[in-house]
């Protein structure tokens, strides 16, 4: 067991416990010890804190996937600190930041690379933002490749102990924080061009399409086109039906289901729609209204 780590002078400062929860998201996985070490550092500095693992299975280096996962979570995490680390720029001059939201009810900590931006926006926007520049609140390390352990984790713990963000870093204008990149659907010809945001472990492919993005005149039966639109031989075309539940998609039907986050997802009943149609995150799909014609060419 490592000795208790304290920032110089912290023991002489009277602090008030502000938070007792850290919600934790990374691309660390669970094969290596990375996530566990960060949690151990938090526990060592702030023993009262409970760490909630949101996920550690974001694809390595995929900042956009991490930002979307964090945005899906943010409305459900308790008040406290949200610690998110998907950080391909670790060790560079990219900023490490803490962002206060919701009238001080939460603080998001992580790299300033767009990872935090969608969640910050969904939490009502940044109220204060700080670059984590005070090395007194970092752990000393031989190298600069593990800021989750050496910078972000300690910052999260000290904030939970009641240390003000102004002690931990230098205030910056929130408008300088890097934005996230969330694509929007667009109408093109007779179709709606969409993108796969996320494929869950059941094979449901969430699109960047909400129910209000579909033209009001469109009916229940649609067509989905997957693949390169300039290469018909490599395009899959299927009829899909709008459904309220997976169970409505019996017999191998492919459908569009409104998922628990309010977005339309390409889905099947107890089967993987992603495998069936060859879908992955970032893939483009085109939705077309079939009107009264329920038939579609399938290739």
């Amino acid at each position: 067991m490592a000795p208790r780590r304290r920032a110089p002078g912290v023991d002489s400062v009277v602090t008030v416990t502000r938070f007792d929860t850290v919600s934790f998201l990374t691309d660390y996985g669970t094969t290596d010890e990375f996530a566990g070490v960060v949690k151990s550092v938090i526990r060592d500095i702030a023993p009262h804190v409970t760490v909630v693992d949101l996920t550690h299975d974001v694809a390595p280096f995929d900042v956009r996937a991490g930002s979307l996962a964090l945005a899906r979570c943010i409305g459900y995490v308790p008040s406290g600190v949200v610690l998110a680390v998907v950080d391909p720029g670790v060790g560079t001059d990219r900023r490490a930041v803490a962002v206060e939201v919701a009238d001080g009810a939460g603080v998001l900590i992580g790299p300033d690379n767009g990872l935090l931006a969608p969640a910050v926006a969904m939490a009502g926007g940044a109220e204060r933002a700080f670059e984590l520049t005070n090395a007194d609140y970092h752990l000393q390390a031989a190298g600069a490749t593990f800021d989750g352990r050496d910078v972000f984790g300690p910052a999260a713990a000290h904030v939970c102990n009641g240390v003000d963000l102004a002690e931990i870093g230098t205030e910056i204008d929130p408008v300088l924080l890097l934005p996230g990149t969330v694509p929007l659907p667009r109408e093109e010809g007779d179709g709606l061009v969409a993108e796969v945001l996320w494929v869950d472990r059941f094979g449901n492919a969430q699109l960047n399409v909400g129910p209000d993005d579909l033209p009001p005149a469109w009916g229940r039966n649609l067509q989905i086109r997957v693949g390169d639109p300039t290469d018909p031989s490599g395009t899959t075309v299927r009829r899909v039906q709008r459904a309220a539940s997976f169970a409505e998609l019996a017999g191998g039907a492919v459908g569009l289901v409104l998922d628990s986050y309010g977005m339309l997802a390409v889905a099947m009943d107890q089967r993987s729609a992603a495998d069936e149609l060859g879908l992955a995150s970032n893939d483009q799909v085109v939705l077309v209204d079939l009107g009264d014609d329920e038939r579609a060419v399938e290739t």
Side-chain angles (χ1 to χ4, degrees):
M1 180 66 66
R4 184 170 301 279
R5 303 174 181 87
R6 297 290 186 188
V10 168
D11 286 335
S12 63
V13 177
V14 176
T15 61
V16 177
T17 299
R18 292 189 58 196
F19 300 122
D20 59 11
T21 304
V22 172
S23 301
F24 191 23
L25 176 148
T26 74
D27 62 348
Y28 290 160
T30 55
T31 300
D32 300 303
E33 70 275 12
F34 304 132
V37 166
V38 175
K39 292 165 70 174
S40 295
V41 168
I42 293 170
R43 175 76 173 180
D44 193 37
I45 297 171
H48 68 285
V49 167
T50 297
V51 179
V52 176
D53 294 298
L54 300 175
T55 182
H56 300 297
D57 287 328
V58 174
F61 319 119
D62 194 338
V63 173
R64 195 184 83 152
S67 72
L68 292 170
L70 190 61
R72 292 193 297 269
C73 294
I74 196 66
Y76 303 95
V77 300
S79 298
V81 174
V82 176
L83 174 59
V85 188
V86 180
D87 193 16
V90 64
T92 70
D93 60 358
R94 69 93 186 90
R95 290 179 296 200
V97 295
V99 184
E100 188 176 69
V101 297
D103 294 325
V107 175
L108 285 80
I109 292 175
D112 182 24
N113 59 6
L115 176 66
L116 306 180
V120 168
M122 293 187 69
E127 293 170 358
R128 295 194 300 165
F130 293 80
E131 184 175 1
L132 304 178
T133 53
N134 190 345
D136 287 347
Y137 291 92
H138 302 172
L139 299 187
Q140 293 184 352
T145 64
F146 196 180
D147 279 355
R149 177 195 67 192
D150 302 329
V151 178
F152 300 125
H158 288 301
V159 169
C160 287
N161 279 341
V163 178
D164 189 78
L165 295 178
E167 293 292 322
I168 294 174
T170 303
E171 189 163 12
I172 58 176
D173 189 336
V175 302
L176 299 178
L177 298 170
L178 287 180
T181 55
V182 179
L184 299 175
R186 69 182 188 277
E187 293 186 31
E188 190 172 287
D190 63 347
L192 185 70
V193 180
E195 186 171 318
V196 177
L197 296 178
W198 171 50
V199 176
D200 69 20
R201 73 185 302 268
F202 300 104
N204 304 307
Q206 185 187 68
L207 303 180
N208 62 333
V209 179
D212 293 337
D213 293 319
L214 296 181
W218 281 20
R220 182 170 185 262
N221 298 294
L222 308 176
Q223 183 187 82
I224 186 169
R225 302 171 185 168
V226 180
D228 185 353
T230 65
D231 180 15
S233 66
T235 302
T236 298
V237 181
R238 292 286 293 268
R239 184 176 72 86
V240 298
Q241 63 187 62
R242 296 165 72 175
S245 67
F246 302 120
E248 291 183 21
L249 304 172
V254 179
L256 286 179
V257 175
L258 187 65
D259 71 12
S260 61
Y261 298 102
M263 306 300 286
L264 293 176
V266 185
M268 299 181 73
D269 183 31
Q270 300 183 51
R271 289 174 57 183
S272 170
D275 289 347
E276 179 77 10
L277 299 180
L279 291 172
S281 296
N282 305 324
D283 281 355
Q284 178 180 291
V285 302
V286 180
L287 300 175
V288 179
D289 181 37
L290 289 179
D292 295 328
D293 185 359
E294 296 193 4
R295 297 168 297 173
V297 177
E298 298 189 5
T299 60

